[in-house]
Amino acid sequence: RVDTLTAHTTAAPTTNFADSLTLPADGTYRITIRVTNSAGFTTEVVRTVIRDTQPPVLFVSRPASSPDSISADSLTMTVSGTWVDSTPTIVTVDDVAATAWSDSFNCPYLLDYGSNRIVVRATDKAGNTAQIMRVVSRHSWNEPVAVGTNLVV
């Protein structure tokens, strides 16, 4: 675990400095930056940083799998599921923010007739993204009927 970043500089008192360190694994680190001037006076600043290189783990429970069929009277369906991540996460369904609480989400989805491609994304605070696509087909069980005379089909 990394706790201290030590930087050595011979710059003037008002000059900024930069240094780097390698964090060994994903996790939360407390970094202490301590500066001592030539007169021996010291000041320090503590910062907490998070190394996060992994995307959220995303599960879509509804629709359960692709393809899924919905009857003609179903204009909408609820897309729902869960995610796991160590940082705050935003879940979207076709780029619309889902209602989320704790580690669960749901989002109403308006279905068109035919094939509907639904993309669910979970993006954590570090910008890591997980994505799952589902295809839902909305079928018209009662095709329109033409009524009249002299119809040409």
Coordinates of all heavy atoms in Angstrom, one line a residue, residues 97-140:
A97 N -31.1 7.7 -18.6 CA -30.7 7.3 -17.2 C -31.8 6.4 -16.6 O -33.0 6.8 -16.6 CB -30.4 8.5 -16.4
A98 N -31.4 5.3 -16.0 CA -32.3 4.4 -15.3 C -32.5 4.9 -13.9 O -31.6 5.5 -13.3 CB -31.8 3.0 -15.4
T99 N -33.6 4.5 -13.3 CA -33.8 4.8 -11.9 C -33.0 3.7 -11.2 O -33.1 2.5 -11.4 CB -35.3 4.6 -11.5 OG1 -36.1 5.6 -12.3 CG2 -35.5 4.9 -10.1
A100 N -32.1 4.2 -10.3 CA -31.2 3.3 -9.6 C -31.3 3.6 -8.1 O -31.5 4.7 -7.6 CB -29.8 3.5 -10.1
W101 N -31.1 2.5 -7.3 CA -31.0 2.5 -5.9 C -30.1 1.4 -5.5 O -30.1 0.3 -6.0 CB -32.4 2.5 -5.2 CG -33.1 1.2 -5.5 CD1 -33.2 0.1 -4.8 CD2 -33.9 1.0 -6.7 NE1 -34.0 -0.9 -5.4 CE2 -34.4 -0.3 -6.6 CE3 -34.2 1.7 -7.8 CZ2 -35.2 -0.9 -7.5 CZ3 -35.0 1.1 -8.8 CH2 -35.5 -0.2 -8.6
S102 N -29.2 1.7 -4.5 CA -28.2 0.7 -4.1 C -27.5 0.1 -5.2 O -26.7 0.8 -5.8 CB -28.9 -0.3 -3.2 OG -28.0 -1.2 -2.6
D103 N -27.8 -1.1 -5.6 CA -27.1 -1.7 -6.7 C -28.1 -2.3 -7.7 O -27.8 -3.2 -8.5 CB -26.2 -2.8 -6.2 CG -26.9 -3.9 -5.4 OD1 -28.2 -3.8 -5.2 OD2 -26.3 -4.9 -5.1
S104 N -29.3 -1.7 -7.7 CA -30.4 -2.2 -8.7 C -30.9 -1.0 -9.5 O -30.7 0.1 -9.1 CB -31.6 -2.8 -7.9 OG -31.2 -3.9 -7.1
F105 N -31.4 -1.4 -10.7 CA -32.0 -0.3 -11.6 C -33.2 -0.8 -12.3 O -33.4 -2.0 -12.4 CB -30.9 0.1 -12.6 CG -30.6 -1.0 -13.6 CD1 -31.3 -1.0 -14.8 CD2 -29.6 -1.9 -13.4 CE1 -31.1 -2.0 -15.8 CE2 -29.3 -2.9 -14.4 CZ -30.0 -2.9 -15.5
N106 N -34.0 0.1 -12.8 CA -35.1 -0.2 -13.7 C -35.3 1.0 -14.6 O -35.0 2.1 -14.2 CB -36.3 -0.7 -13.0 CG -37.1 0.3 -12.2 OD1 -37.2 1.4 -12.6 ND2 -37.5 -0.1 -11.0
C107 N -35.9 0.7 -15.7 CA -36.2 1.8 -16.7 C -37.3 1.4 -17.6 O -37.2 0.3 -18.2 CB -34.9 2.1 -17.5 SG -35.0 3.5 -18.6
P108 N -38.4 2.2 -17.7 CA -39.4 1.9 -18.7 C -38.9 2.0 -20.1 O -38.0 2.9 -20.4 CB -40.5 2.9 -18.4 CG -39.8 4.0 -17.7 CD -38.6 3.4 -17.0
Y109 N -39.3 1.1 -21.0 CA -38.8 1.2 -22.4 C -40.0 1.0 -23.3 O -40.8 0.1 -23.2 CB -37.9 0.0 -22.6 CG -37.2 0.1 -23.9 CD1 -36.0 0.8 -24.0 CD2 -37.7 -0.6 -25.0 CE1 -35.3 0.9 -25.3 CE2 -37.0 -0.5 -26.3 CZ -35.8 0.3 -26.4 OH -35.2 0.3 -27.6
L110 N -40.2 2.0 -24.2 CA -41.3 2.0 -25.2 C -40.9 1.1 -26.4 O -39.8 1.3 -27.0 CB -41.5 3.4 -25.7 CG -42.7 3.6 -26.7 CD1 -44.0 3.2 -26.1 CD2 -42.8 5.0 -27.1
L111 N -41.7 0.1 -26.7 CA -41.4 -0.8 -27.7 C -42.0 -0.4 -29.1 O -43.2 -0.1 -29.1 CB -41.9 -2.2 -27.3 CG -41.2 -2.9 -26.1 CD1 -42.1 -4.1 -25.7 CD2 -39.8 -3.3 -26.5
D112 N -41.3 -0.6 -30.1 CA -41.8 -0.5 -31.5 C -42.2 -1.8 -32.0 O -41.7 -2.8 -31.4 CB -40.7 0.1 -32.4 CG -40.4 1.5 -32.2 OD1 -41.3 2.3 -31.8 OD2 -39.2 1.9 -32.3
Y113 N -43.1 -1.9 -33.0 CA -43.3 -3.2 -33.6 C -42.1 -3.7 -34.2 O -41.3 -3.0 -34.8 CB -44.5 -3.1 -34.6 CG -45.8 -3.1 -34.0 CD1 -46.6 -1.9 -34.1 CD2 -46.4 -4.2 -33.4 CE1 -47.9 -1.9 -33.5 CE2 -47.6 -4.2 -32.8 CZ -48.4 -3.0 -32.9 OH -49.6 -3.0 -32.3
G114 N -41.9 -5.0 -34.2 CA -40.7 -5.6 -34.8 C -39.6 -5.7 -33.7 O -39.8 -5.8 -32.5
S115 N -38.4 -5.7 -34.2 CA -37.2 -5.9 -33.4 C -36.8 -4.6 -32.7 O -36.7 -3.6 -33.3 CB -36.1 -6.5 -34.3 OG -34.9 -6.7 -33.5
N116 N -36.5 -4.7 -31.4 CA -36.0 -3.6 -30.6 C -34.7 -4.0 -30.0 O -34.6 -4.9 -29.2 CB -37.0 -3.3 -29.5 CG -38.4 -2.8 -30.0 OD1 -38.6 -1.6 -30.0 ND2 -39.2 -3.7 -30.4
R117 N -33.7 -3.2 -30.4 CA -32.3 -3.4 -29.8 C -32.2 -2.5 -28.6 O -32.3 -1.3 -28.7 CB -31.3 -3.1 -30.9 CG -29.9 -3.3 -30.5 CD -28.9 -3.0 -31.6 NE -27.6 -2.7 -31.2 CZ -27.2 -1.4 -30.9 NH1 -27.9 -0.4 -31.2 NH2 -25.9 -1.2 -30.5
I118 N -32.0 -3.1 -27.4 CA -31.9 -2.4 -26.2 C -30.5 -2.6 -25.6 O -30.0 -3.7 -25.4 CB -32.9 -3.0 -25.1 CG1 -34.3 -2.9 -25.7 CG2 -32.8 -2.2 -23.8 CD1 -35.3 -3.6 -24.9
V119 N -29.8 -1.4 -25.4 CA -28.4 -1.4 -24.9 C -28.4 -0.9 -23.5 O -28.8 0.3 -23.3 CB -27.5 -0.6 -25.8 CG1 -26.1 -0.6 -25.2 CG2 -27.5 -1.1 -27.2
V120 N -28.0 -1.7 -22.5 CA -27.8 -1.3 -21.1 C -26.4 -1.1 -20.9 O -25.5 -1.9 -21.1 CB -28.4 -2.3 -20.2 CG1 -28.3 -1.9 -18.7 CG2 -29.9 -2.6 -20.6
R121 N -26.0 0.1 -20.3 CA -24.6 0.4 -20.0 C -24.5 0.8 -18.5 O -25.4 1.6 -18.0 CB -24.1 1.6 -20.8 CG -23.8 1.3 -22.2 CD -23.2 2.5 -23.0 NE -23.0 2.2 -24.4 CZ -23.9 2.5 -25.3 NH1 -25.1 3.1 -24.9 NH2 -23.7 2.2 -26.5
A122 N -23.5 0.4 -17.9 CA -23.1 0.8 -16.5 C -21.7 1.5 -16.6 O -20.8 0.8 -17.0 CB -23.1 -0.4 -15.5
T123 N -21.7 2.7 -16.2 CA -20.4 3.5 -16.2 C -20.0 3.9 -14.8 O -20.8 4.6 -14.2 CB -20.5 4.7 -17.2 OG1 -20.9 4.2 -18.5 CG2 -19.2 5.4 -17.3
D124 N -18.8 3.5 -14.4 CA -18.4 3.9 -13.0 C -17.8 5.3 -13.0 O -17.6 5.9 -14.1 CB -17.6 2.9 -12.3 CG -16.2 2.6 -13.0 OD1 -15.8 3.5 -13.7 OD2 -15.6 1.6 -12.7
K125 N -17.4 5.8 -11.8 CA -16.9 7.1 -11.7 C -15.6 7.3 -12.4 O -15.3 8.4 -12.9 CB -16.7 7.4 -10.2 CG -16.3 8.9 -9.9 CD -16.3 9.1 -8.4 CE -16.0 10.6 -8.2 NZ -16.1 10.9 -6.7
A126 N -14.8 6.2 -12.6 CA -13.5 6.3 -13.4 C -13.7 6.3 -14.9 O -12.8 6.4 -15.6 CB -12.6 5.2 -12.9
G127 N -15.0 6.1 -15.3 CA -15.3 6.0 -16.8 C -15.2 4.6 -17.3 O -15.4 4.4 -18.6
N128 N -15.0 3.6 -16.5 CA -15.1 2.2 -17.0 C -16.5 1.8 -17.3 O -17.4 2.1 -16.5 CB -14.5 1.3 -16.0 CG -13.1 1.6 -15.6 OD1 -12.2 1.8 -16.4 ND2 -12.8 1.8 -14.3
T129 N -16.7 1.2 -18.4 CA -18.1 0.8 -18.9 C -18.3 -0.6 -19.1 O -17.4 -1.3 -19.8 CB -18.4 1.6 -20.2 OG1 -18.3 3.0 -19.9 CG2 -19.8 1.4 -20.7
A130 N -19.4 -1.1 -18.7 CA -19.9 -2.5 -19.0 C -21.1 -2.3 -19.9 O -21.9 -1.4 -19.6 CB -20.2 -3.3 -17.8
Q131 N -21.4 -3.2 -20.8 CA -22.5 -3.1 -21.7 C -23.1 -4.4 -22.0 O -22.4 -5.4 -22.2 CB -22.1 -2.4 -23.0 CG -23.1 -2.3 -24.1 CD -22.6 -1.6 -25.3 OE1 -22.3 -0.4 -25.2 NE2 -22.7 -2.2 -26.4
I132 N -24.4 -4.5 -22.0 CA -25.2 -5.7 -22.4 C -26.3 -5.3 -23.4 O -27.0 -4.3 -23.2 CB -25.8 -6.4 -21.2 CG1 -24.7 -6.9 -20.3 CG2 -26.7 -7.5 -21.6 CD1 -25.2 -7.6 -19.0
M133 N -26.4 -6.0 -24.5 CA -27.4 -5.7 -25.4 C -28.5 -6.9 -25.4 O -28.1 -8.0 -25.3 CB -26.9 -5.6 -26.8 CG -27.9 -5.2 -27.8 SD -27.3 -5.1 -29.5 CE -27.2 -6.8 -29.9
R134 N -29.7 -6.5 -25.5 CA -30.8 -7.4 -25.6 C -31.7 -7.0 -26.8 O -31.7 -5.9 -27.2 CB -31.7 -7.4 -24.4 CG -31.1 -7.8 -23.1 CD -30.9 -9.4 -23.0 NE -30.7 -9.8 -21.7 CZ -29.5 -10.2 -21.3 NH1 -28.5 -10.2 -22.1 NH2 -29.3 -10.7 -20.1
V135 N -32.3 -8.0 -27.4 CA -33.2 -7.8 -28.5 C -34.6 -8.3 -28.1 O -34.7 -9.5 -27.7 CB -32.7 -8.5 -29.8 CG1 -33.7 -8.3 -30.9 CG2 -31.4 -8.0 -30.2
V136 N -35.5 -7.4 -28.2 CA -36.9 -7.8 -27.9 C -37.8 -7.5 -29.1 O -37.7 -6.5 -29.7 CB -37.4 -6.9 -26.7 CG1 -38.9 -7.2 -26.4 CG2 -36.6 -7.1 -25.5
S137 N -38.6 -8.5 -29.4 CA -39.5 -8.4 -30.6 C -40.9 -8.2 -30.1 O -41.4 -9.0 -29.3 CB -39.4 -9.7 -31.5 OG -38.1 -9.8 -32.0
R138 N -41.5 -7.1 -30.6 CA -42.9 -6.9 -30.4 C -43.7 -7.3 -31.6 O -43.5 -6.7 -32.7 CB -43.2 -5.4 -30.0 CG -44.6 -5.1 -29.7 CD -44.8 -3.7 -29.3 NE -46.2 -3.4 -29.3 CZ -46.8 -2.3 -29.6 NH1 -46.0 -1.3 -30.0 NH2 -48.1 -2.1 -29.5
H139 N -44.5 -8.3 -31.4 CA -45.3 -8.8 -32.6 C -46.7 -8.4 -32.6 O -47.3 -8.3 -31.5 CB -45.3 -10.4 -32.5 CG -43.9 -10.9 -32.6 ND1 -43.2 -10.9 -33.8 CD2 -43.1 -11.5 -31.7 CE1 -42.0 -11.5 -33.6 NE2 -41.9 -11.8 -32.3
S140 N -47.2 -8.1 -33.7 CA -48.7 -7.8 -33.9 C -49.4 -9.1 -34.2 O -49.2 -9.7 -35.2 CB -48.9 -6.8 -35.0 OG -50.3 -6.6 -35.2

